[in-house]
Amino acid sequence: MTLYLTPIGRRARRMMNLADAQNWANMVESRVAFPIDIKEENDAFVISAMLPGIKAEDLEISVVNEVVSIKGEYQRERGDGEKYLLTELPSGRFCRTINLPDQLDSAKAEASMENGVLTLSIPKAEAARPKTIKVSVK
């Protein structure tokens, strides 16, 4: 398993010019990035995210129109006087915002966590679902 740390530097400055103030604030706070998969089904989107070590109660998931946000925080306790030779375990806040191509029905969204993998199933809004129209013959 690999977690990716996002560097704050030239790339971040370029992104700041593109992002609005709220998203930029989330990006600056977020030092931990996590891999996701997004699968589109006929009536829903399924998002899988690798978040090992995160408890379900430490996650905040929001769905607004076609935007899904996953926020949380890795909390690592390190004692004063402890000497580390290497620290690669993630710590700190994270936020991932995903723009999906269709409107979503947030009231019917479901989330589950198993073995460090978050799975979100978010149905498409009724207006965004494909419709089959029968042709009548006169």
Side-chain angles (χ1 to χ4, degrees):
M1 178 205 49
T2 304
L3 287 174
Y4 303 94
L5 297 178
T6 326
I8 302 292
R10 247 184 293 155
R11 179 176 176 234
R13 283 191 291 276
R14 273 187 273 136
M15 292 180 79
M16 182 176 77
N17 294 332
L18 302 173
D20 61 69
Q22 183 180 7
N23 283 340
W24 173 245
N26 287 337
M27 288 167 45
V28 168
E29 290 176 0
S30 179
R31 297 285 311 192
V32 177
F34 51 91
I36 62 171
D37 284 345
I38 303 172
K39 179 173 64 171
E40 182 176 9
E41 298 176 346
N42 285 339
D43 297 337
F45 291 98
V46 178
I47 300 170
S48 299
M50 289 185 63
L51 293 165
I54 290 289
K55 297 176 189 161
E57 58 268 12
D58 292 337
L59 285 173
E60 179 186 328
I61 301 166
S62 63
V63 179
V64 179
N65 297 325
E66 65 275 347
V67 179
V68 178
S69 293
I70 302 169
K71 297 178 185 179
E73 183 172 2
Y74 277 103
Q75 298 179 2
R76 301 280 181 233
E77 293 185 25
R78 296 188 171 124
D80 291 340
E82 292 179 345
K83 182 179 177 182
Y84 287 90
L85 299 178
L86 180 66
T87 58
E88 291 184 344
L89 295 176
S91 65
R93 291 190 218 167
F94 58 85
C95 178
R96 184 92 186 247
T97 302
I98 305 152
N99 291 307
L100 296 171
D102 294 316
Q103 291 261 334
L104 305 170
D105 186 353
S106 61
K108 296 179 183 174
E110 296 177 358
S112 64
M113 188 91 157
E114 185 176 342
N115 295 328
V117 178
L118 171 69
T119 303
L120 296 171
S121 179
I122 310 166
K124 295 178 183 178
E126 192 63 37
R129 293 184 185 177
K131 308 248 186 297
T132 303
I133 302 169
K134 293 185 179 184
V135 179
S136 60
V137 178
K138 292 186 181 187

